[in-house]
Amino acid sequence: MSSTSNVVFTVNPGGRLSGRLRVPGDKSISHRSVMLGSLAEGTTRVSGFLEGADALATLRAFRRMGVRIEGPDSGRLVIHGVGMHGLKEPDGPIDLGNSGTSMRLLSGLLAGQGLRLTLTGDSSLSSRPMRRVTEPLARMRADVRSAADGTAPLEIHPVQRLAPLDYPMPVASAQVKSCVLLAGLYAGGRTCVSEPAPTRDHTERMLEGFGYPVHRDGSRVCLEGGGRLQATDIEIPADISSAAFFLVGASIAEGSDLVLEHVGMNPTRDGVINILRLMGADIEVLNLRSVGGEPVADLRVRSARLRGIRIPEDQVPLAIDEFPVLFVAAACAEGETLLTGAEELRVKESDRIQVMADGLSALGVRAQPTPDGIRIQGGPISGGRVNGHGDHRISMAFAIAALRAAGALHIDDCANVDTSFPGFVELARAAGLDIRAAGAA
Ligand code: S3P
């Protein structure tokens, strides 16, 4: 979906969030289920698949490469795996829309297939850095070419077998780690990645779920190339990154009491809960259980008085997608919140530090961007007009801010909410947010 389509959210101030709800499936796990299910031998059944534009872009890509996939039907997929070497060359470029995860993971997964392919994306994806994947892939003797400035489109050319790599990652990025590991499946030998800080480990967990041995030792993960994936069934939990909007919303809106069901609680993803609790949030973790190799729980959140904090830097990779809405929590907190060590936010679907600082400032909040973070002084939020910048998480973060605003909020450029959270407007309305969407996608 193009970020230029103008869907406008209008959100009236006030209200509280209550009831029980289940947000859509985890985006990261949804992508990986299609990727590994396609390369497996046998039939993989998936439930809880996120039917959002990003995960659907991955699904379409594998269909274009000859994989038969039934669904999605209410989050269910049946993937008829073609085996490690069964993908076919598509008849033209593969468009991955807004999805950085699709592009970075596929560049690795496809580098050693012996196929010629081109991966393209929308204007946001085409401006995001891809050297972080093309560089390690070049060291594996892959031939993956970016545009001169290191961005998409990516052209993948056939090579003989990939070389294994021992890669100390310069950035804490699960996308880069996954890219190298997926390429490593096709390398002649042992590929290892060391990460500077823990990042989401869904690729490692899911490879193991498909019967592929992965060796983990602290910050280092290794696998041997040349193995096979055995089809399995996957139940995808609700996305904690989507739940985050409601965790913050119920925390800041007085009188709220909300239960979020079946939320993925992978310890590499739970920074949003840790940070909100440090700010004084009232979040109860209920019924913690394990579903298909991933921890899952119901989360009960009630409104609380939040206080500003210095966000611990070790929480940054564990909450990397949740900062837009955490900035809204900071705007509603008493005192100052300081974020450092988060320069990665500047190269997400938008420059999330700058656009959140601009939007919050337009609503009368003192928000001062820094090169690697932001300083936010809690205080009143006015009504007004802000821009979602075609970035799903920015649009939803501002929608949540309306719970504490003095007047209506109009949020432009919200079509891309559909990339990670189809049905956001309806679900948020059912929980108590007075939101409506207008305009065509
Ligand atoms: C993702 C990893 C993160 C995250 C993105 C999804 C993944 O990116 O921001 O939304 O599924 O691996 P980085 O690993 O580049 O930080």
Side-chain angles (χ1 to χ4, degrees), residues 23 68 89 111 132 134 140 145 164 184 201 219 225 241 257 265 296 310 315 358 371 392 394-395 397 403 411 416 427:
V23 300
R68 194 156 69 81
E89 215 163 82
R132 55 181 59 198
T134 56
M140 299 178 83
R145 303 175 200 167
D201 64 356
S219 61
S241 298
D257 185 351
M265 289 288 285
V296 167
R310 201 185 165 108
Q315 294 299 311
D358 291 346
H392 50 143
I394 301 297
S395 302
L403 288 161
I411 310 161
N416 278 346
L427 208 61

Side-chain angles (χ1 to χ4, degrees), residues 25 48 161 195 201 208 255 284 291 334 400 413:
R161 198 164 199 194
E195 44 186 8
D201 64 356
E208 286 169 339
E284 256 182 277
V291 177
E334 212 174 285
I400 291 299
D413 204 357

Side-chain angles (χ1 to χ4, degrees), residues 73-411:
D73 175 12
S74 306
R76 289 181 190 279
L77 297 179
V78 180
I79 306 170
H80 300 274
V82 296
M84 298 300 287
H85 298 280
L87 295 179
K88 298 203 171 59
E89 215 163 82
D91 55 5
I94 293 183
D95 182 1
L96 299 169
N98 194 242
S99 179
T101 308
S102 308
M103 187 164 287
R104 297 210 179 100
L105 270 60
L106 282 184
S107 66
L109 185 152
L110 297 174
Q113 302 275 349
L115 304 177
R116 186 178 305 275
L117 300 116
T118 303
L119 306 178
T120 64
D122 70 6
S123 59
S124 153
L125 181 53
S126 301
S127 65
R128 296 180 64 188
M130 292 297 151
R131 281 204 182 106
R132 55 181 59 198
V133 289
T134 56
E135 273 174 5
L137 289 174
R139 290 205 222 168
M140 299 178 83
R141 296 203 213 111
D143 185 358
V144 179
R145 303 175 200 167
S146 64
D149 60 351
T151 59
L154 296 183
E155 273 181 25
I156 301 174
H157 296 264
V159 289
Q160 293 294 326
R161 198 164 199 194
L162 295 180
L165 177 66
D166 194 340
Y167 190 54
M169 262 199 309
V171 281
S173 164
Q175 294 182 348
V176 175
K177 174 177 64 174
S178 301
C179 166
V180 174
L181 290 175
L182 293 171
L185 298 175
Y186 294 88
R190 187 178 178 86
T191 291
C192 298
V193 182
S194 308
E195 44 186 8
T199 66
R200 67 192 66 193
D201 64 356
H202 305 299
T203 302
E204 297 91 305
R205 285 177 190 248
M206 201 182 284
L207 280 168
E208 286 169 339
F210 277 85
Y212 205 103
V214 175
H215 310 281
R216 301 213 239 175
D217 184 9
S219 61
R220 190 170 158 85
V221 51
C222 300
L223 53 76
E224 299 285 335
R228 284 140 66 134
L229 298 166
Q230 191 52 51
T232 185
D233 290 346
I234 300 171
E235 193 182 327
I236 300 177
D239 197 329
I240 191 169
S241 298
S242 297
F245 298 101
F246 294 97
L247 292 175
V248 171
S251 296
I252 64 174
E254 214 177 304
S256 295
D257 185 351
L258 186 69
V259 176
L260 296 157
E261 295 173 343
H262 209 76
V263 179
M265 289 288 285
N266 183 309
T268 59
R269 296 283 299 281
D270 65 0
V272 62
I273 295 176
N274 303 333
I275 293 168
L276 282 172
R277 280 182 168 161
L278 286 174
M279 297 177 80
D282 178 358
I283 300 171
E284 256 182 277
V285 176
L286 306 168
N287 198 13
L288 190 59
R289 56 215 182 258
S290 174
V291 177
E294 292 276 352
V296 167
D298 302 323
L299 301 178
R300 181 174 185 191
V301 53
R302 282 173 279 195
S303 35
R305 277 175 80 98
L306 301 183
R307 52 184 176 272
I309 59 164
R310 201 185 165 108
I311 297 174
E313 284 195 9
D314 63 1
Q315 294 299 311
V316 169
L318 312 182
I320 193 69
D321 290 335
E322 287 67 75
F323 283 105
V325 78
L326 282 168
F327 296 167
V328 171
C332 297
E334 212 174 285
E336 186 180 90
T337 294
L338 178 65
L339 173 68
T340 54
E343 50 277 270
E344 275 294 300
L345 293 180
R346 291 197 177 271
V347 290
K348 292 294 179 188
E349 286 84 328
S350 67
D351 176 345
R352 288 182 172 163
I353 290 174
Q354 193 60 51
V355 303
M356 283 304 297
D358 291 346
L360 288 171
S361 303
L363 301 177
V365 176
R366 271 172 51 201
Q368 194 194 341
T370 65
D372 69 338
I374 196 166
R375 190 183 286 278
I376 296 171
Q377 184 69 40
I381 301 177
S382 70
R385 190 155 209 115
V386 292
N387 200 301
H389 289 276
D391 180 339
H392 50 143
R393 301 200 201 279
I394 301 297
S395 302
M396 291 186 276
F398 282 119
I400 291 299
L403 288 161
R404 284 278 289 270
L409 284 193
H410 303 278
I411 310 161

Side-chain angles (χ1 to χ4, degrees), residues 1-9 53 98 122-123 387-392 395 411-419 438-441:
M1 192 176 289
S2 151
S3 60
T4 52
S5 341
N6 197 16
V7 169
V8 181
F9 286 173
N98 194 242
D122 70 6
S123 59
N387 200 301
H389 289 276
D391 180 339
H392 50 143
S395 302
I411 310 161
D412 286 314
D413 204 357
C414 294
N416 278 346
V417 163
D418 197 41
T419 59

Side-chain angles (χ1 to χ4, degrees), residues 9-12 14-24 242 245-246 249-250 258 260 395-400 402-403 417 421-437:
F9 286 173
T10 300
V11 200
N12 288 319
R16 63 194 177 87
L17 301 184
S18 61
R20 300 179 72 86
L21 58 91
R22 180 167 171 166
V23 300
S242 297
F245 298 101
F246 294 97
L258 186 69
L260 296 157
S395 302
M396 291 186 276
F398 282 119
I400 291 299
L403 288 161
V417 163
F421 202 149
F424 170 73
V425 169
E426 295 73 20
L427 208 61
R429 275 189 81 80
L433 189 69
D434 186 355
I435 179 170
R436 62 200 149 78

